Each structure stands twice: as C-alpha cells, then as structure tokens.
C-alpha cells in the first residue's frame, strides 16, 4: 500500500519538471535567431518506482528532469569545417584573381596590351606611309611605344600593390588565428570547470563551435574531443578538446599556441616585394606549413596568390662550394631573358636553406648560361663545404610554389618584355638615326636607384660572358623598369628606320624588319608577342573560371551541410509552439492533480468518519 | 528530414540571391549588350574577341594605308599627265620646225616657245604628296632637281651608256664674220663645211673633266665579252669646246673639225664623245656598253640631281664625301594581309636626262638658224647702202652674202633634219610617260579591288566580332524578364512563408 500523500508528491514533481520543460522551450524560442545556437531539450524521466506490499508490486513516483542537453551532431560539424576550409580558399582566390583579371582587361571600356601593341605597329605602318623622315610621325610612333611601356609599368605596379595587400592580409589572418586559438583554450577551461562537476556547458560549447566555424574558413581544421581520465584510468566526467590546423596542433585543452609573421630578409622571386612575411610558430620558431597539400582555407590561397610561380624556379646541381659561395651547375634555365631569380634570395639543398646576397653567371660561347655562383650571406662551416663541394646534390634557388600567382604573371611579363625588346633593339642597332649616327638600344631598363638607364649591352647572342646580378643585361629589364630611352623621347630623330641614311630619309628597310615582330616572329611561349595577352588572359581567365566553379560548388555544399546541421540543432518555431502548448497542458494537468489530491485529503481528513 | 524555420529562411535567402544574380547579369547585358563582362565568365569568347579585335586593328590600318596609297597615286598621275602635255607641246614645236619653209617669225615663235618650256621640263618631277616628293625614291625630303643654282657643288659621276645611244650628229665649221665684211676690203675666205660623226652624248654638259672610260664589246660570232679601257688624253683627245677642236684640226692640216677613223674626241663643254668612223662602226657591231666617269662642278636650278640616276659621289667637301649608289627604291604600302603595293614611280623611269639635252640643242639650232638668216639680211642691207655701192665692195660683199646664204641653208637644213629626227625622240619620251601612266592606272585598279576586298573583310570581321561577343537585345529582354519574374515570385513566396507560424492558430 503506497503512502497516502504520495499523489501530492507526484503532482509536485510533474509541476516542477514541466516548468523546466516550459523554461527550456522558452529559452529555445528566445534564441531562435541566435547564430550558432543549438536547440536544447529537457530530458524527462520517470522517477524510480516504489515497491509496495501490494499485489500490483510497485507504484510510480512521478517524473524528473535528468538533463537539459543540446541537440548537435559532431559528424556534421566536422564535415562543415572541412568544406568551409575549401570554400574559404576558393573565395579568397576568386577575390584576388578577379582583380588580376581586370589588369589584363582589354576591350571597349579599358585600353590594354593588345590595343596598345597593335597601335604601336600600326604606327610603324603609318611611318612607312607618311614618311620615316617626318619627325612628327616618328614622334607618334615613339609615343605609342612609350604608352606600351607605361602599360607594363602600371601592370607591374598594380601587381606589386596587390602583392602588398595580400601580404597584409596574411598578417591579419595570422592575428585572427592567434586570437581564435586563445579564445578556444579559454572556453576549453570554462567548459571543463562546468562539466567536471557533472553538467553540460551547452552555450559555451556553441560558442566554441562558432569559433571553429570561423577558424575553418582561414585554415583547414581538425578537432578531437576526448575524455579526461585520472591516473587510475577513471573518467572524471569531463572532456578535453583539441584543434589542429593544417595538420599541426593549435589548441590542446587549456594550452594554445600562436603564430608569428616574420619579414623575410631575402626574396623568392626577382620582382617580389622586400620583406614579405613568412609564418612561424612562436614557441618553436619552425615554419608554419600554409601551402602543403593538406593545408586549406583562405591562408593557403593568399600564399598561392602571393608566391605562386607555377612551380617554376631555378634548379640544378651543386658544383663547387666554398665557405662563402655555392655554384649551381646544369641549370634548367640557360637564357638570361628567362631568369627571374632574386638578387638577394635563398638556396635550398636537402631541405637546408642558404641565403645569398648576389650571384654571377657564366655563359658558353653561344651566350647560354652554364653555371651560377651564389655569394652566401653567412659563411658556412668547413664540414658543410666538404659535404657540398662537387656533390652534385639537387639545388633549388628560390621556392617553387604551385599555382599561378603574382610572381608567375610577373615572370611571364618579364619574359615577353625581354624577348621582345631584345629582338627589337637588335634590329634597331643595325640601323642609323635620322642624323646618320649609329643607333643604340631603343627600349631600355630604368635604373631607379640612380636614375640612369641600362642600355642592356653587357650581353649578346655570341661570346663568353661573366655576368652578375648587377650587370647591364636583360635581367634588369622587367615590366617595372621597361621604358623607351630618354634620348628618343626627347629627340624623335633618335630612332632608326634604315641601315644607311644616304639612301634617303624615307628608306624603311629597318621598319620592314621590325614589322614581323608583330605576329610572325616567335617571342613568347611559342607564339608571337602579339599573342601575349591571349596567352596570359587565357591563363588567368581559365584559372578564375575554375576557381569560380569550385567556389560555387563549395558554396552549395556549405548550404546543404549547413542545412543538415540546422536540421539537427536548429530551433523550429512551430515545434516550439507545439511544445509550449504541450508542456502548458501537462502543467495544467499536474496542477489539477494537486487540486484533486487536495479535495481527496479534504474528504478523507475532514469529512470521512468525523 | 526535420526542416526548421531558419532552414527555410536560409534557403529562401539563397534562392532570392540566386535570382538576383541572374537579374543583375541580364541587367548588365542589357546595358552593355555584351555576352560577358569579365574574361573568366567565358574564356573562349574573351580570347576570340581579343583575336578579332587584333584582326580588325590590322584591317583598319590597311584601310588607312589604302587611302594614303590612293592619294599618292593621284599625285603621281597628275604629275605624269602634266609631263605628258609638256612633251606634247615640245613635240608640236618639233613638227613645226621640221616643215619645209619657215619664215623668220616662225623661227622666233619656236624659239620663244622652247625657251619657256626649257625652264619647266623637270618641274613636275618635284611633285609632292604632303611634303614628300613622289618621284625621288626614299629621298622624299629632297627635290628631284636642284632648287637653285649651286655653283660650287661638285659631283663625280659614273654614267652607263650603250651603243644604242650612239647617234649621227652634224658639225659645222666656219662662220661668216660680219665684222670682216664691214670693211669690204678683204674678200671672204670663210668656207662653211659640214661634217658628220657618231657621238655619244652624256647626261650633263659643262664638265670639269673626263676621268675615265671603259667599254665592253661582244663578239658577234662567239658572243664572248671583252672589256676595254680607253685612256683619256691618248685614246681620247679632250677639248674644251668645238672651237678648240677646230683649231686643233686646222693645226693638223684639216680644213674642218676632224676625227680620224680610229679616233675619239671628248668635248667638255657640251659633254659629247665624238667617234671616228671606224671605231664607231666597231662599237655598233660589238654592241658596246660604255661606262663614263666624269666630274662636274656647278649645277643650275632645274637640273636633275645625279644621285637619282647614277652611281655618284658628292665631293663638294673633300672631307665629307657622300657616296650615292643607284638602286631601286620601292615604297611599298601594306594594303592587305601579306599584300604589298608599290606606290612610287622612280624619276629615271619618266624623267629622261635627254629631254632637257634635246631641248637645249633644239634651242641652239634654231638660234643658229636665226643668226644665220639675220646675217644674210644684214649683208643684203649693207649691199643696198650707198657706202658699198662701188663695184669692188659689191663683189666682196656678194662673196660674203653667198657664204652667209650657204650658212643659212646649212642651218635651215640642220634645223629641219634635227627637228624631224627629234620627233621620234619625243615620241619615245612620251611613250615612257604613257607606260608610267598605265602602270599607275593599273596599280590604282589593283588598289581599288583590294580596297573593296578589305572593306568586305572589315564588315565580315565586325560581324564575327559582334556574333562572338554581342547579344541580341530581344534575347536579353526575354531572359531579363524571365529572371525578373523568377525573382519576383521568389520574393512573394518568401513573404508568404515568413508571415505565418503556428502561433497564429493557437
């Protein structure tokens, strides 16, 4: 026989349980629009039954709330974060490629390379038609050539500006990662403190997941949650949470690590800005792998855009080595006009790096480079010299970074500019100026240090040359330094149209030789100079197009994974409305139970047998 | 799957956004009427459009070259037509001069006409198109002729000539002197003699010196060529002018200007090489090719500059010798893909040195004739004077008059014959000019044909370009409205779905 007053207790337990349920529902409704909020449910369990000495055995004792827990699926979180890294990567790639693409634009709205290039050659034709002896027509041509140079100058400047922007974003991204890293570790501590006492830190967990959401856009993220056990292997009821980015540990429980941006003392490519950042771990000083296969997120694409040279760099084998120099033999690049190694750069041999601050190159009788000698910034030990000298080990100058980024486009610009101007200048030098004097280089490279001009005369097709990074060669010619010589700009007579002025001012044999440079002579990547824009535009357009496609794919994946996530943890207002009605009804019923019980006691105590 | 309100909201949002992107795209297309605004939207279209722009830019340049070529040819044709009418004028004078009877007035008229023409024979050679002389090859900044008298300018010239340039020329020795007649005391001893020799006339007269002569003879049987050098001074006797020649001939015992059968005589003033009978015959039979080297100082305004015709050197300033080499200086305009058109006609094709030499000779001859007749007239007048009425004087003067009449007869004969001969010369010059005019005309025809083709090409390429990158406005409008309605309906749907919840019904 159960206790007489048990019914009141049952009613009481129901009242308090349903109150909790209604509160939980109310909390859900209140947070219906909160970002990252996971729906919570109060778990109702019947309390333990009471054994009574009666035929029916036991009676129920009521209801209790065992937990208020969040509805969340860790599997979907992991999927979401993985996808988010890819999305972040392509989003930022698209952002920058769209910019690069506009630099190459050439249509009705914007004058670009093709228009300027064609105009320059059309002016050559005009020069024949209206007389090469006419100074104003010569001037017209010279100006159109300078316009082309100015285009390359501004293209180069835009690229460099973009590289600076990307570099700054690398820094801010790093800072972002650091702050997230710290916040996660703090949250870990708080969650631990709450949960070790046997509760669930629902809201804090939501906060933490939000931070990982944010982090996953920047880098690729993996997380692990594991139980904390004491030395006896007993579960303490709490868990630890660790985060690895790009495969390296960032947060583990209460501990966190930070990254640091360091300005490089060397450059990887000739046209790189000085002092680009490299990222290292603050604690170990080891470099952070931002561009590996497993890496992802916007940080990876920032590096691809900033450093991507399509995996091309100077490679060869180690020849002679001394304490202060290393020689690279059998280079994969033998043409100085294709060289885009930095003046002050870095060598890599067997994963070990050596910084250099200058180089010299030796050519064979045909003007092809057969070896490079790099002057090391820091002397190396005798032991190392012994292992390197004549070892034939593989050596790399600069860093090969996959992807077509700013250095790639810069070196392509250099290549076409150098090849084209060399052909042009060589033909020019066969002729005479309008005054009958021998002609020099028409296109020159500006020396921004002292304001003079490199007339590029230290190197030719034939003869053995010893050149250095400071020589007056086509190495100095880049998109940034290209210009028409001041002599021609000031005096249009300084331009050759004929080999011998005695033939008459309107002889145009040199012009006839220049004309094929437009679209008949192979200059750039097996094609003529005129096709330069087509080649590069197709590079960037196809790349952007591809990135856009990926971006769209990952965006729609994000939507569908996000939907799956909200399907589990999102708040549904209709559902909560039903719950509200449901729990209110239950609450009403429970209070009815109590009033029924009260009536029953009244009957029993006051009216029965009195 | 459990669908929550926020999922619906999210999906609605992304759907609306997708529709908005389409509306934006077609809106863009509507304003630009281009299929793409960024290369990455469709790299194929972008690259193709770039190529077509390049081709179009080429064609635009061809069009500009063609119109330049047209103007150039027009200027050339006008100049050639003027030249032709000038030659016709001279030829008319020749025809007039070759008629049997010429009155003194006729001769005067011919002289005046020729003198007027003489100054402007080569003026048309300086015709220019926008400041560039059209007949001077690459030296478009210079005129074909000397612009002013250049007394100090000195050239050494190497002139090639051929046996066909050898022609028979009549030389006259002796002239009646009126001064001698005036005294009427000494009888007339002058004898007028006509000699005829083969001569080679150089392009210039008033030369400083003959510097050398080489010639090549072809054996008529074997065809073998042999080179000869004639030594100046020994093989060739050099005289300043005809008078010096006459003096030398007389000193040698001849009555008139004489050349031995194997002898060559060079006259510096008139720039002529006179050949004796035998050597002239052997030159003709050997089909001789001559190279004459000579020096000339001083050129007159209107004279042709030698550099357009011969290998020569300007040695005015010995420190700064300019060597000219005669070459073909073609000015070619590129008028369509891989098609070059030669627009210029070179001076030596139409402006022959012989034209002015012939005119000068014609003037000389007619002047000589006028003088001879004047002499006759004056002698006749003298004889009518009372002063010479005595028989002796009459007799002596009659001797002078007879000789003067002989001189006038010779002059008339020479005038008539030479003018008759030169009609052929001018016919030849005219035919040269006519050939040049025909060439210019046919070049013009080719140009017109190419122009039509290039213009057609331009239209085709523009069409291709438009097909490639432009969208038809009606297509865009249809797409635009379709996407706009989709956008509107997605808005309506979103409005509806977010309006209600279960709470409305509780």
């Amino acid at each position: 026989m159960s206790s007489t007053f048990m019914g009141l207790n049952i009613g009481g337990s129901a009242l308090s349980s349903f109150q909790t349920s209604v509160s939980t529902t109310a909390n859900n409704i209140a947070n219906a629009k909160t970002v990252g909020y996971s729906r919570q449910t109060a778990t109702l369990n019947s309390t333990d039954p009471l054994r009574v000495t009666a035929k029916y055995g036991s009676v129920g004792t009521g209801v209790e709330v065992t937990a208020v827990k969040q509805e969340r699926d860790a599997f979907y979180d992991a999927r979401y974060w993985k996808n988010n890294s890819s999305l972040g990567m392509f989003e930022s790639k698209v952002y920058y490629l769209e910019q690069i693409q506009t630099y190459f634009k050439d249509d009705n709205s914007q004058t670009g390379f093709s228009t300027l290039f064609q105009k320059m050659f059309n002016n050559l034709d005009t020069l024949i038609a209206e007389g090469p002896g006419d100074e104003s027509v010569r001037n017209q041509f010279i100006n159109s050539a300078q316009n082309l140079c100015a285009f390359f100058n501004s293209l180069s400047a835009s690229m460099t500006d973009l590289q600076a922007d990307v570099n700054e974003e690398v820094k801010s991204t790093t800072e972002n990662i650091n702050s997230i890293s710290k916040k996660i570790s703090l949250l870990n501590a708080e969650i631990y403190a709450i949960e070790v006492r046997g509760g669930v830190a629902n809201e804090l967990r939501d906060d933490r997941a939000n931070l990982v959401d944010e982090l996953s856009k920047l880098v690729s993220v993996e997380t692990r949650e594991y139980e904390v056990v004491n030395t006896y292997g007993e579960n303490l009821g709490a868990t630890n949470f660790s985060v690895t980015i790009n495969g390296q540990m960032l947060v583990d429980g209460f501990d966190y690590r930070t990254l640091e941006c360091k300005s490089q003392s060397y450059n990887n490519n000739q046209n790189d800005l000085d002092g680009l950042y490299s990222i290292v771990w603050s604690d170990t000083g080891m470099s952070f792998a931002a561009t590996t296969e497993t890496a992802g997120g916007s940080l990876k694409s920032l590096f691809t855009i900033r450093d991507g040279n399509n995996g091309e760099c100077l490679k060869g084998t180690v020849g002679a080595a001394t304490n202060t120099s290393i020689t690279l033999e059998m280079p994969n690049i033998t043409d100085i006009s294709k060289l885009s190694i930095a003046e002050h750069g870095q060598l890599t041999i067997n994963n070990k790096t050596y910084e250099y601050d200058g180089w010299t190159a030796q050519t064979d009788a045909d003007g092809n480079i057969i070896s490079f000698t790099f002057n090391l910034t820091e002397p190396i030990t005798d032991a190392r010299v012994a292992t390197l000298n004549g070892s034939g080990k593989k050596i790399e100058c600069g860093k090969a970074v996959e992807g077509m980024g700013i250095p790639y486009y810069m070196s392509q610009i250099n290549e076409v500019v150098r090849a084209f101007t060399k052909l042009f200048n060589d033909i020019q030098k066969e002729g005479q100026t309008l005054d009958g004097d021998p002609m020099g280089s028409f296109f020159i490279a500006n020396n921004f240090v002292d304001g003079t001009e490199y007339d590029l005369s230290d190197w030719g097709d034939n003869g053995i040359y010893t050149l250095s990074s400071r020589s007056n060669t086509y190495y100095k010619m880049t998109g940034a330094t290209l210009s028409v010589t001041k002599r021609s700009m000031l005096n249009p007579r300084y331009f050759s149209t004929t080999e011998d002025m005695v033939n008459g001012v309107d002889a145009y044999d040199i012009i006839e030789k220049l004309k094929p440079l437009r679209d008949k002579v192979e200059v750039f990547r097996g094609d003529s100079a005129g096709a330069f824009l087509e080649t590069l535009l197709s590079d960037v357009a196809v790349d952007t197009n591809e990135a856009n496609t990926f971006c769209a794919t990952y965006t729609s994946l994000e939507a569908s994974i996000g939907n799956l996530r909200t399907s589990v943890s999102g708040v549904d207002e209709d559902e909560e409305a039903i719950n509200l009605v449901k729990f209110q009804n239950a609450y009403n019923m429970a209070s009815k139970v109590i009033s029924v019980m009260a009536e029953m006691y009244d009957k029993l105590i006051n009216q029965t047998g009195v | 799957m459990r669908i929550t309100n926020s999922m619906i909201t999210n999906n609605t949002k992304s759907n609306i956004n997708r529709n908005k992107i389409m509306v934006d795209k077609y809106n863009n297309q509507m304003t630009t009427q281009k299929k793409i605004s960024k290369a990455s939207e469709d790299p194929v279209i972008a690259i193709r459009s770039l190529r077509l722009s390049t081709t179009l830019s080429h064609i635009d340049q061809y069009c500009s070259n063609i119109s330049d070529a047209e103007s150039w040819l027009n200027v050339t044709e006008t100049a050639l037509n003027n030249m032709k009418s000038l030659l016709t004028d001279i030829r008319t004078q020749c025809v007039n001069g070759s008629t049997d009877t010429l009155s003194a007035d006729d001769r005067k008229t011919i002289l005046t006409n020729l003198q007027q023409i003489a100054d402007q024979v080569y003026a048309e050679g300086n015709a220019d198109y926008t400041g560039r002389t059209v007949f001077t090859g690459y030296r478009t900044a210079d005129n074909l002729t000397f612009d002013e008298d250049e007394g100090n300018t000195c050239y050494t010239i190497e002139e090639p000539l051929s046996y066909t340039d050898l022609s028979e020329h009549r030389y006259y020795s002796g002239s009646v002197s009126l001064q001698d007649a005036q005294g009427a005391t000494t009888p007339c001893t002058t004898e007028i003699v006509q000699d005829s020799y083969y001569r080679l006339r150089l392009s210039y007269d008033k030369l400083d010196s003959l510097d050398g002569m080489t010639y090549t003879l072809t054996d008529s049987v074997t065809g073998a060529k042999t080179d000869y050098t004639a030594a100046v001074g020994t093989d060739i006797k050099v005289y300043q002018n005809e008078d010096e020649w006459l003096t030398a001939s007389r000193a040698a015992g001849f009555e008139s200007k004489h050349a031995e059968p194997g002898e060559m005589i060079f006259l510096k003033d008139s720039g002529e090489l006179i050949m004796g009978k035998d050597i002239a015959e052997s030159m003709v039979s050997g089909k001789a090719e001559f190279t004459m080297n000579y020096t000339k100082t001083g050129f007159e305004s209107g004279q042709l500059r030698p550099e357009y015709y011969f290998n020569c050197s300007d040695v005015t300033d010995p420190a700064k010798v300019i060597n000219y080499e005669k070459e073909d200086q073609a000015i070619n305009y590129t008028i369509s893909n891989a098609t070059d058109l030669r627009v210029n006609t070179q001076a030596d094709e139409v402006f022959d040195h012989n034209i002015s030499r012939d005119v000068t000779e014609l003037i000389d001859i007619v002047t000589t004739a006028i003088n001879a007749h004047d002499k006759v007239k004056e002698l006749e007048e003298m004889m009518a004077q009372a002063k010479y009425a005595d028989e002796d004087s009459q007799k002596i003067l009659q001797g002078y008059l007879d000789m003067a009449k002989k001189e006038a007869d010779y002059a008339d004969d020479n005038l008539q014959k030479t003018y008759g001969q030169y009609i052929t010369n001018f016919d030849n010059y005219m035919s040269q000019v006519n050939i040049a005019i025909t060439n210019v005309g046919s070049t013009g025809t080719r140009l017109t044909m190419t122009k039509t083709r290039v213009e057609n090409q331009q239209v085709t390429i523009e069409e291709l370009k438009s097909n490639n990158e432009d969208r038809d406005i009606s297509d865009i409008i249809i797409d635009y409205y379709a996407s706009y309605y989709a956008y509107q309906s997605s808005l309506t749907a979103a409005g509806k779905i977010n309006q209600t919840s279960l709470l409305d019904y509780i």
Side-chain angles (χ1 to χ4, degrees), chain A residues 39 98 101 118 122 129 502-504 506-508 515 519 534 545 563 566-567 570 572-575 578, chain B residues 1-2 5 7 11 38 40 51 54 57-58 61 132 138-140 323 327 329-330 332-334 502:
Chain A
R39 158 173 77 106
E98 294 272 8
Q101 183 175 241
Q118 298 305 340
N122 281 349
V502 168
N503 292 339
D506 275 4
Y508 56 90
K515 273 168 73 179
D519 47 16
E534 289 169 26
N545 188 282
N563 271 347
T566 33
S567 168
D572 182 55
E573 285 154 27
D574 298 338
E575 204 177 86
I578 290 169
Chain B
M1 196 169 81
R2 182 172 168 268
N5 291 73
M7 276 165 76
N11 285 342
K38 279 179 288 191
S40 59
R51 282 214 188 115
T54 304
S57 159
H58 283 223
Q61 184 60 35
R132 305 169 72 202
Y138 298 148
R139 300 189 191 92
T140 53
N323 292 313
E327 57 176 15
Q329 297 189 325
N332 293 316
Y333 283 11
T334 309
L502 185 62

Side-chain angles (χ1 to χ4, degrees), chain B residues 83 86-87 90 114 117-123 145 201-205 300-304 309 350-364 422 426 429:
Chain B
M83 186 70 193
L86 189 101
L87 289 173
I90 304 176
L114 283 177
I117 290 168
D119 296 336
Q120 46 166 336
V121 173
Y122 298 125
T145 62
R201 191 175 61 184
L202 302 184
S203 293
Y204 291 95
D205 54 6
E300 286 158 25
S301 159
Q303 234 171 357
L304 295 171
Y309 293 84
V350 277
F351 299 100
D352 200 306
H353 267 104
N354 286 321
I355 299 174
S356 109
R357 297 279 270 156
D358 281 358
V359 170
T360 318
E361 267 184 22
L362 289 175
I363 290 174
D364 282 351
Y422 282 12
F426 281 95
Y429 305 144

Side-chain angles (χ1 to χ4, degrees), chain B residues 82-142:
Chain B
N82 290 345
M83 186 70 193
K84 187 177 161 187
S85 68
L86 189 101
L87 289 173
T88 315
D89 281 355
I90 304 176
R91 188 182 179 278
T92 314
Q93 302 309 320
C94 288
V95 173
N96 291 344
S98 64
T99 47
D100 277 349
T101 48
L102 283 177
S103 69
D105 284 345
D106 290 341
R107 284 189 288 266
K108 282 256 165 59
T109 317
I110 291 174
L111 180 67
T112 336
N113 282 338
L114 283 177
Q115 272 168 343
Q116 271 170 5
I117 290 168
D119 296 336
Q120 46 166 336
V121 173
Y122 298 125
E124 287 303 327
N126 296 331
D128 72 314
Y129 164 55
T130 62
R132 305 169 72 202
T133 44
V134 294
F135 291 109
T136 51
Y138 298 148
R139 300 189 191 92
T140 53
D142 303 323

Side-chain angles (χ1 to χ4, degrees), chain B residues 420-436:
Chain B
Q421 273 173 8
Y422 282 12
I423 291 175
T424 334
N425 283 7
F426 281 95
D427 280 343
N428 286 340
Y429 305 144
M430 210 123 78
S431 80
Q432 273 183 0
V433 174
N434 277 333
I435 289 170

